[in-house]
Amino acid sequence: MVSRIGGAGNGPQRPAGVDEGPQQPRKTQDATKPAPTTSTESSGASNRTENRAAQSTFEGTAPAKPRPQGPDESAAIQKDPKFKRLDDGLEKEILARMDKLKGNPIAQDNLSDLVKSDGFSQLSLTHQRQMLETLDKAPSNRQLAHGLKDLAGDANFRKLNADTSTHLLGALGSHPNDINAQKNLTALALSPGFGQLNPAHQKQALAALDRAPADAKLLQDVQGLTGSASFRNLNDAVKSTALEQLALHPKNDPARDTLVQLAGSPGFQGLADADKQKLLRYVGGTNVEISTPARQGLDTLMKSDAFKKADAAGQRTQLQQFLTDQPATPGLVDTPAGTFDTKRLPYKLTGPSDVKDFAFRSGKADAIKYEVEVDGKKIPVFMPKTPDKSAGVIHSIDEVAKGLAALPASSRALVKQVVVDGKQNPDDAYWAKTYNDPNFRSYMTAGAEGSITVYPSQTKMTQDYLDGTMIHETGHTLSMQKWGSQDSDKRWDDWKAAAKSDGLVASGYAKASPGEDFAETLLIYQQAKGTPREAEFRAMMPERFKIIDELLAGKR
């Protein structure tokens, strides 16, 4: 008998259960059609040329040589009629700034030019202070000072809500030495469509542009969206979601193009508000599991002659069908490479020992037994002593151990044993008929008692796929222990109602049954947990994620 310690690492995938009748399996991934692990959308040119399209107050050329300041500049400013009209408290603040800038004639000149300008005196006290605070970020920058002076003189700027102007000036102050960023942010804020948005949407639009403020194409897309009458006619919540999704793609031109086209299409306007929200969240995320392929599928639809030639009602029907059928959703939840590498715990492997006539699912045969210990929990693993090589490729004990070590603690607690069968699942014919898939082949199964069985696969499965499928299978164990039979137990009613309310599915396989929907949703829940993708999936499947939250917290 050998005992060794194994650490985190990479390796392949999944197991099956005890003889209690056919167990719902997760099928082997189609090696000829691997699920995408990275976006295939192009990100556009990485090196942006100078933005010459955005005309703004920052377009002008500042004086090449500032005038020299005398030693008593504060006294000179106090004699200016416009300065005298300023709030007394503000005057003191300006003079304090001037005193602080002694020895820096360029900075003093910039400050003097701004506070003595016609526009500055017409601003509210709040706007005046915001302007001064922005100039404080780079007081010697002539381009920034010149732009702020012209901005103060613009009537459209003076009409902005205080929160919006604060956001704009804060953004300008964050890029004091980037003239293109300053031009773009100002051009957006002064555009006609922007002024017709409510303050919350104005801040969202500025925040979206501020993700890559010097990018001319991003400015074009944000202006295109906010300048569209169709967009402005949308429900406020839908507008917020559209801007939220657009902001997720500052460097992905094709993604933004699809979202802008969708939000402005006549067919989109005809959808119910709830369906507009679902569709935007479905195609608008950055995740590679659902949103990226969905967005690519929608882009193909909207570029088709059938869509482009359809009237508003016809487009609405096509978009509704796309949302209902979700044809671009991958067949299985993909586990992106390395998802669980940082979560994999150390494990201890003990064995092997011989077991005569072990009851594999495929029939009795000699086995070898190992014990995998992870975080204090010992899990027996049974491997075939003489596997049937003609049945396919089986996982090694190290790969199985790594899969167990990658499980979240809540999933690992459900596992009683793992059985690696040397032959194909004898129930495959049943499942092929049930799922109407003549080529169906089990990769892994699990039952309510917590026994996971892994079957041979026709091609080598990756460690990532094994890691993900083990979580999927513990989903079956969890749901069966909590709710019993998906066909007859009313304890499933809440899940079924949540799935109907959410509308979106984690994968094509999730459509097979409520049990598969739970297992695939649990997988996407666990692999996105603690990442930026978690918020995207929660927005797509809010009711089901809430149920999983409660289950794992012991509240159900």
Side-chain angles (χ1 to χ4, degrees), residues 56 150 231 378 395 521 546:
S56 76
D150 287 351
F231 170 77
K378 297 178 180 180
H395 284 294
T521 305
K546 180 181 177 182

Side-chain angles (χ1 to χ4, degrees), residues 124-135 148 157 161-167 169-170:
S124 68
L125 182 59
T126 298
H127 282 157
Q128 289 171 336
R129 284 200 166 101
Q130 289 169 348
M131 281 240 168
L132 292 173
E133 290 168 1
T134 301
L135 184 58
L148 290 173
F157 173 75
N161 172 278
D163 286 345
T164 302
S165 63
T166 298
H167 202 95
L169 291 169

Side-chain angles (χ1 to χ4, degrees), residues 451-491:
S451 178
I452 297 177
T453 303
V454 189
Y455 294 98
S457 55
Q458 293 170 302
T459 57
K460 181 73 171 177
M461 295 290 105
T462 67
Q463 184 70 47
D464 296 304
Y465 191 65
L466 171 62
D467 296 343
T469 303
M470 276 196 167
I471 293 176
H472 170 105
E473 294 306 329
T474 62
H476 286 309
T477 300
L478 176 61
S479 64
M480 285 188 274
Q481 286 182 359
K482 293 290 185 178
W483 303 329
S485 170
Q486 64 181 11
D487 298 320
S488 58
D489 201 313
K490 289 191 175 296
R491 288 177 293 177

Side-chain angles (χ1 to χ4, degrees), residues 298-375:
L298 178 64
D299 184 63
T300 299
L301 171 66
M302 292 193 299
K303 287 178 178 176
S304 68
D305 288 340
F307 188 86
K308 289 189 290 187
K309 293 178 180 179
D311 59 13
Q315 287 187 355
R316 182 189 66 234
T317 298
Q318 292 181 56
L319 291 174
Q320 188 70 63
Q321 197 66 44
F322 179 85
L323 183 59
T324 300
D325 295 345
Q326 299 160 51
T329 298
L332 294 170
V333 169
D334 176 44
T335 300
T339 295
F340 295 103
D341 287 352
T342 60
K343 302 176 182 179
R344 203 184 313 277
L345 298 179
Y347 62 87
K348 180 180 179 181
L349 183 62
T350 305
S353 59
D354 290 334
V355 179
K356 293 290 291 182
D357 293 330
F358 181 77
F360 288 99
R361 187 75 178 172
S362 60
K364 289 186 177 181
D366 291 345
I368 50 178
K369 178 185 176 181
Y370 294 89
E371 186 176 78
V372 177
E373 183 176 350
V374 183
D375 197 25

Side-chain angles (χ1 to χ4, degrees), residues 243-414:
L243 288 166
E244 177 185 288
Q245 302 304 97
L246 192 75
L248 294 175
H249 305 281
K251 298 293 185 181
N252 190 335
D253 294 356
R256 296 196 311 272
D257 289 343
T258 300
L259 290 168
V260 172
Q261 183 183 353
L262 172 63
S265 67
F268 185 76
Q269 313 305 312
L271 293 174
D273 286 340
D275 287 338
K276 290 173 186 170
Q277 295 275 40
K278 286 180 183 178
L279 186 53
L280 285 168
R281 287 169 176 151
Y282 177 43
V283 303
T286 61
N287 64 85
V288 299
E289 294 97 327
I290 298 177
S291 294
T292 297
R295 185 167 54 252
Q296 293 164 350
L298 178 64
D299 184 63
T300 299
L301 171 66
M302 292 193 299
K303 287 178 178 176
S304 68
D305 288 340
F307 188 86
K308 289 189 290 187
K309 293 178 180 179
D311 59 13
Q315 287 187 355
R316 182 189 66 234
T317 298
Q318 292 181 56
L319 291 174
Q320 188 70 63
Q321 197 66 44
F322 179 85
L323 183 59
T324 300
D325 295 345
Q326 299 160 51
T329 298
L332 294 170
V333 169
D334 176 44
T335 300
T339 295
F340 295 103
D341 287 352
T342 60
K343 302 176 182 179
R344 203 184 313 277
L345 298 179
Y347 62 87
K348 180 180 179 181
L349 183 62
T350 305
S353 59
D354 290 334
V355 179
K356 293 290 291 182
D357 293 330
F358 181 77
F360 288 99
R361 187 75 178 172
S362 60
K364 289 186 177 181
D366 291 345
I368 50 178
K369 178 185 176 181
Y370 294 89
E371 186 176 78
V372 177
E373 183 176 350
V374 183
D375 197 25
K377 180 177 175 61
K378 297 178 180 180
I379 302 172
V381 178
F382 298 89
M383 307 279 294
K385 190 168 187 177
T386 309
D388 181 0
K389 294 184 178 180
S390 66
V393 183
I394 66 169
H395 284 294
S396 69
I397 180 59
D398 287 301
E399 291 166 346
V400 173
K402 289 173 183 175
L404 290 169
L407 284 173
S410 58
S411 292
R412 193 165 47 248
L414 296 166

